[in-house]
């Protein structure tokens, strides 16, 4: 696993100028907790055949993509999300998960999530990466915002979080305001509630928290999420 992790990290290059401009428009600043990189293919061949089959021997199919590493609660690299952008504004999102991701909670922000719960603070759950960026601007620094990367949360992650819940913690779910998002939010609330959690669904106007921030900045975010 160490060899694969080291190989992947070689591909995490400093952000390109284009990516820096894009992230600034999406609200990313020095206080944002997410790690962003531009993919640059390592010189050697990837030791994971599944990665090679999907992205090429050196990850050339990801060349120039914006990449976001996903880490375990203990800081081990579990995978990454890669994004490419077309001139017409459309985007393509790809994911890669290591074998280790099968038995670890898989969501963005896990390194802080369990520390926050252990300290008696609250957990906020969103779908998208930039929803996490937006919400972090207005929730207390002691709380943690996690992104489930639009896929929803699996039972492994739910059960792991539930083990850390205490009467001091609350869980706030701010999934997207569409039918799929509401269904996933309802399922997640029922699941955590059945495991003893105190759970609230966030009511707000807008497609998702990032759109709320884009529309009205931090003032509108605080109106809905503070």
């Amino acid at each position: 696993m160490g060899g694969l992790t080291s190989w992947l990290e070689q591909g995490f290059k400093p952000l390109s100028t284009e990516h820096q401009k894009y992230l600034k428009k999406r609200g990313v600043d020095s206080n944002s907790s997410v790690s962003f990189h531009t993919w640059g293919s390592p010189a050697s061949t990837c030791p994971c055949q599944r990665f090679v089959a999907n992205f090429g021997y050196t990850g050339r199919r990801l060349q120039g993509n914006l990449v976001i590493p996903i880490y375990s609660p203990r800081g081990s690299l579990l995978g990454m999300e890669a994004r490419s952008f077309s001139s017409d504004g459309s985007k393509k999102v790809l994911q890669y998960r290591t074998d280790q991701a099968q038995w670890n909670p898989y969501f963005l922000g896990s390194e802080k999530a369990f520390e926050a719960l252990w300290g008696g603070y609250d957990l906020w759950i969103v779908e998208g990466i930039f929803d996490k960026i937006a919400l972090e601007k207005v929730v207390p620094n002691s709380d943690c915002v996690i992104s489930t990367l639009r896929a929803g949360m699996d039972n492994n992650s739910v059960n792991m979080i539930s083990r850390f819940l205490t009467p001091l913690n609350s869980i706030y779910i701010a999934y997207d305001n569409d039918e799929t998002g509401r269904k996933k939010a309802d399922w997640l609330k029922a699941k955590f509630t059945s495991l003893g959690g105190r759970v609230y669904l966030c009511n707000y106007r807008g497609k998702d928290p990032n759109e709320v921030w884009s529309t009205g900045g931090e003032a509108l975010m605080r109106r809905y999420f503070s």
Side-chain angles (χ1 to χ4, degrees), residues 2-181:
L4 174 59
T5 297
S6 297
W7 187 91
L8 290 169
E9 289 176 340
Q10 290 178 43
F12 299 158
K13 308 298 185 183
L15 286 168
S16 67
T17 301
E18 178 186 6
H19 286 161
Q20 290 179 36
K21 292 179 180 178
Y22 170 76
L23 292 174
K24 185 177 181 180
K25 290 180 181 179
R26 299 302 303 268
V28 177
D29 56 32
S30 60
N31 296 317
S32 301
S33 66
V34 181
S35 176
F36 294 96
H37 304 272
T38 295
W39 179 263
S41 298
S44 59
T45 297
C46 180
C48 174
Q49 290 304 309
R50 184 161 46 81
F51 181 96
V52 169
N54 284 284
F55 308 116
Y57 290 104
T58 62
R60 61 177 178 78
R61 294 172 197 153
L62 299 177
Q63 186 69 28
N65 275 209
L66 179 67
V67 291
I68 303 97
I70 313 297
Y71 294 97
S72 75
R74 294 187 177 182
S76 299
L77 183 65
L78 298 179
M80 64 182 186
E81 181 170 294
R83 296 178 173 222
S84 60
F85 309 91
S86 301
S87 56
D88 62 1
S90 61
K91 66 181 179 182
K92 184 177 182 180
V93 179
L94 301 170
Q95 281 196 14
Y96 167 73
R97 300 188 185 193
T98 69
D99 292 340
Q100 196 175 2
Q102 297 178 32
W103 57 84
N104 274 281
Y106 192 88
F107 49 81
L108 188 62
S110 68
E111 309 99 292
K112 183 181 177 182
F114 298 101
E115 179 183 343
L117 292 172
W118 184 259
Y121 302 110
D122 296 334
L123 188 69
W124 300 72
I125 304 176
V126 298
E127 290 189 45
I129 292 171
F130 295 106
D131 298 331
K132 171 177 165 64
I133 295 293
L135 204 53
E136 284 179 337
K137 297 178 183 297
V138 297
V139 304
N141 290 332
S142 52
D143 291 355
C144 180
V145 184
I146 64 173
S147 164
T148 57
L149 305 166
R150 301 198 177 278
M153 186 173 283
D154 59 23
N155 283 307
N156 183 37
S157 298
V158 170
N159 292 333
M160 179 68 79
I161 289 172
S162 297
R163 289 184 218 166
F164 284 77
L165 291 177
T166 73
L168 297 175
N169 306 123
S170 293
I171 295 176
Y172 296 91
I173 302 173
Y175 270 0
D176 289 8
N177 259 338
D178 55 21
E179 184 177 357
T180 301

